[in-house]
């Protein structure tokens, strides 16, 4: 019965969906006319909810140059918006009496029994206060075998490692939390995670153009585009990752996400109770003032939201906690380093969905400077190699402690630089270099090229200095 009530509630909210265009829609279209050319995004779709009105819009292509248009029923990978679906599934199990938010995960998953993370509570997992770090959650973003046990195996590996900090002591965003929650849903419900979300959330809401990552390629889905030296390149591997499904594996159209948001805002008991919906959009605990249960919180705007990021796609869903309005925007492009920034589109449409005025995106000078520097560095080091050869007699003439230091120091400095570029910089983004490469392949090439050329310059200089002496 509750499924039909949920669908009825969404249909009532969406009834005037295709009435005369509202000022809100005109404002979004005018904003996109300015923002999309700057972002160079191949395609996007959005949906706006305002007091029962549903407004849909789309532009661009599924794949750049394909001629296949994005439509209002084109599914996009939602990325981390999927975490709110996982949180909703957990709350359903709480209401069914199978899960207690303040019990340790070891009470539900045997692999955590007696392990360092066994005492982490379900509430701490939902609110990113478990102690798992961003880096621990980003160890891998692709399936290893493609088998049905991908999620179980990933969670087994997580259970073997200790959280980076004391559970409950601090907030740190981590995919690891939601992978564990996804496995918990499988264990207590007896259904595979994808089957659970499909039958208990997507189908009851009439989200017919949505699905959960299953390790397969879906031709109807928008194709992501990653930055490529001032342009965009379509993502080559288009398979969905089964293991990452609870943290980022739901795919949905803008219209379907609007149905989901309408349910979260309707103040009714349907998929879960109205009280539990409100709980999800309140601070979860003292260590998590800006995150509830599966939702980021903005106290100033009195809103809840969640961004999403997958290779080649960026998304955001936002809803007001005090008024029946919200929206979603889905873009099939990742931001470049200061160039082609799609984040400005996400921020602007989100603001308009809440009835606010978009703020200027800024010039992103810092990111642009870093990118240009990395473009220039390999060239400078290659020029340095040529210069070392032309001045080889001077290098070979260096003697004494000071001379030896002047020869060795560039090697020490470039080795340190290489460590910063290929290890520290990606980790500042919360991921190892291999995962960083999925989102920023051109930047990854520049990081590696600068490191190799720098160390190569220093080694060549030393070799020239010590191989031609009499």
């Amino acid at each position: 019965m509750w499924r039909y009530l949920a669908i009825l509630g969404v249909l009532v909210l969406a009834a005037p969906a295709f009435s005369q265009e509202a000022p809100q829609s005109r404002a979004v279209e005018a904003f996109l006319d300015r923002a999309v050319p700057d972002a160079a995004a191949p395609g996007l779709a959005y949906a706006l909810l305002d007091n029962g009105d549903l407004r849909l819009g789309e532009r661009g292509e599924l794949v750049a140059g394909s001629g296949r248009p994005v439509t209002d029923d084109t599914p996009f990978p939602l990325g981390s918006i999927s975490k709110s679906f996982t949180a909703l599934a957990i709350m359903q199990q709480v209401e069914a009496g199978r899960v207690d938010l303040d019990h340790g995960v070891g009470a539900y998953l045997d692999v955590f029994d007696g392990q360092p993370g066994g005492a982490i509570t379900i509430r701490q997992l939902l609110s990113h206060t478990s102690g798992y770090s961003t880096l621990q959650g980003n160890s891998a973003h692709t399936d290893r075998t493609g088998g049905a046990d991908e999620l179980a195996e990933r969670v087994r590996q997580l259970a073997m490692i200790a959280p980076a900090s004391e559970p409950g002591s601090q907030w740190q965003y981590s995919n690891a939390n939601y992978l564990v929650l996804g496995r918990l849903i499988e264990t207590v419900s007896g259904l595979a995670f994808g089957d659970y979300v499909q039958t208990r959330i997507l189908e009851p809401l009439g989200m017919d153009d949505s699905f959960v990552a299953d390790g397969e390629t879906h031709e109807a889905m928008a194709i992501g585009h990653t930055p490529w030296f001032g342009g965009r390149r379509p993502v080559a591997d288009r398979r969905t990752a089964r293991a990452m499904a609870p943290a980022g594996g739901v795919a949905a159209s803008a219209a379907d996400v609007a149905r989901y948001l309408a349910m979260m805002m309707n103040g009714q008991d349907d998929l879960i109770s109205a009280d539990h919906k409100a709980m999800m959009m309140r601070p979860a605990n003292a260590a998590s003032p800006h995150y509830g249960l599966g939702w980021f919180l903005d106290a100033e705007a009195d809103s809840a939201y969640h961004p999403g990021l997958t290779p080649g796609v960026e998304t955001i869903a936002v809803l007001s906690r005090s008024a029946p309005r919200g929206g979603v925007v889905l873009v099939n492009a990742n931001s470049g380093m200061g160039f082609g920034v799609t984040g400005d589109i996400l921020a602007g449409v989100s603001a308009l969905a809440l009835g606010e005025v978009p703020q200027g995106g800024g010039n992103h000078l810092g990111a642009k400077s870093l990118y240009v520097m990395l473009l220039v560095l390999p060239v400078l080091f290659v020029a340095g190699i040529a210069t070392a050869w032309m001045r080889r007699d001077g290098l070979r003439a260096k003697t004494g402690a000071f001379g030896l230091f002047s020869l060795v120091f560039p090697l020490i400095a470039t080795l340190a630089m290489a460590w910063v570029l290929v290890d520290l910089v990606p980790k500042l983004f919360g991921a190892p270099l291999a995962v960083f490469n999925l989102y920023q392949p051109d930047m990854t090439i520049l990081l590696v090229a600068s490191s190799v050329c720098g160390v190569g310059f220093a080694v060549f200089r030393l070799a020239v200095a010590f191989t031609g002496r009499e």
Side-chain angles (χ1 to χ4, degrees):
M1 182 62 178
W2 53 268
R3 293 188 183 185
Y4 300 104
L5 288 174
I7 296 171
L8 179 61
V10 171
L11 291 176
V12 168
L13 279 168
F18 300 102
S19 57
Q20 186 177 0
E21 187 179 27
Q24 186 187 33
S25 293
R26 292 196 296 272
V28 170
E29 287 296 327
F31 169 77
L32 291 175
D33 287 341
R34 300 189 302 272
V36 169
D38 291 339
L44 64 85
Y46 68 87
L48 306 174
L49 285 163
D50 187 5
N51 198 30
D53 271 347
L54 171 62
R55 307 288 175 178
L56 303 173
E58 63 284 326
R59 57 176 68 196
E61 299 174 303
L62 291 178
V63 185
S66 69
R68 298 171 58 197
V70 173
T71 65
D72 56 21
D73 58 2
T74 297
F76 285 68
L78 298 183
S80 288
I81 298 175
S82 307
K83 290 180 173 67
S84 67
F85 288 80
T86 301
L88 177 64
I90 289 290
M91 298 310 293
Q92 288 179 329
Q93 295 305 302
V94 168
E95 293 186 353
R98 299 189 185 101
V99 172
D100 188 308
L101 292 179
D102 296 309
H103 282 182
V105 68
Y108 304 100
L109 298 178
D110 291 342
V111 292
F112 275 91
D113 190 22
Q115 296 300 325
I120 295 171
T121 69
I122 310 309
R123 192 186 304 273
Q124 289 168 342
L125 290 168
L126 286 166
S127 60
H128 295 292
T129 56
S130 67
Y132 285 118
S133 68
T134 302
L135 192 61
Q136 285 176 316
N138 282 335
S139 60
H141 276 204
T142 55
D143 288 345
R144 292 184 172 90
T145 67
D149 62 346
E150 281 280 355
L151 177 58
E153 176 59 22
R154 190 73 62 86
V155 171
R156 186 191 68 79
Q157 293 171 3
L158 284 170
M160 300 299 111
I161 64 175
S165 59
E166 184 68 21
S169 63
Q170 62 178 317
W171 186 90
Q172 187 168 182
Y173 189 85
S174 181
N175 286 324
N177 297 314
Y178 278 76
L179 299 186
V180 175
L181 290 169
R183 181 57 182 156
L184 187 154
I185 290 165
E186 293 186 331
T187 301
V188 300
S189 72
L191 295 173
F193 177 79
D195 294 338
Y196 184 97
V197 172
Q198 187 71 40
T199 59
R200 305 294 176 86
I201 299 177
L202 304 184
E203 290 178 7
L205 290 176
M207 296 176 66
D208 298 331
D209 298 309
S210 304
F211 59 89
V212 183
D214 54 8
E216 302 296 329
T217 299
H218 296 260
E219 293 300 326
M221 188 172 69
I223 303 304
H225 295 72
T226 51
W228 191 248
F229 299 105
R232 301 283 186 189
R233 187 175 69 168
V235 172
D237 187 356
R238 299 169 185 179
R239 293 171 298 173
T240 56
R242 189 193 298 263
M244 292 300 294
V250 176
S253 66
D256 277 359
V257 177
R259 292 181 173 89
Y260 171 66
L261 295 178
M263 178 274 298
M264 290 300 297
M265 291 190 293
N266 66 14
Q268 300 172 13
D269 298 341
D270 36 53
L271 297 193
I272 59 173
S273 69
D275 288 343
H276 276 138
K277 292 176 190 177
M279 177 192 293
M280 292 175 70
M281 288 180 264
R282 292 197 299 264
N285 48 48
S288 180
H290 305 300
Y291 199 91
L293 306 180
W295 289 94
F296 284 94
L297 308 175
D298 184 339
E300 183 178 350
D302 197 23
S303 65
Y305 67 97
H306 215 298
L309 177 66
T310 56
V313 176
E314 295 184 9
T315 65
I316 192 168
V318 60
L319 53 86
S320 172
R321 296 186 294 180
S322 56
R325 58 173 32 170
V328 59
V329 58
L330 315 169
V331 184
N332 63 347
N334 285 152
S335 287
M337 290 298 295
F339 300 93
V341 177
T342 56
D344 294 343
I345 294 177
L346 305 185
V349 175
S350 297
L352 289 164
L354 296 174
E356 300 173 354
V357 177
Q359 301 298 312
N363 56 21
H364 308 285
L365 185 59
K368 288 179 179 177
S369 299
L370 174 61
Y371 190 83
V372 171
M373 180 192 76
L374 291 172
L375 275 173
V376 172
L377 268 180
V379 177
L380 293 178
F381 284 127
V382 171
I385 290 173
T387 301
W389 178 249
M390 289 187 293
R391 298 181 178 178
R392 56 189 178 276
D393 291 340
L395 291 174
R396 291 165 179 167
K398 289 179 179 288
T399 58
F402 182 79
L404 181 63
F405 175 80
S406 69
L407 292 172
V408 173
F409 178 75
L411 179 60
I412 297 172
T414 54
L415 284 171
M417 180 197 72
W419 169 76
V420 169
L421 294 182
V422 301
D423 186 67
L424 184 59
V425 168
K427 287 179 179 177
L428 291 175
F429 288 88
L433 186 66
V435 173
F436 183 80
N437 180 55
L438 298 175
Y439 300 87
Q440 299 286 332
D442 59 342
M443 183 71 168
T444 302
I445 288 173
L446 293 179
L447 291 171
V448 173
S450 295
S451 301
V452 170
C453 291
V455 174
F457 156 73
V459 170
F460 180 83
R461 192 169 176 270
L462 272 174
V464 167
F466 287 103
T467 57
R469 297 189 177 193
E470 295 181 357

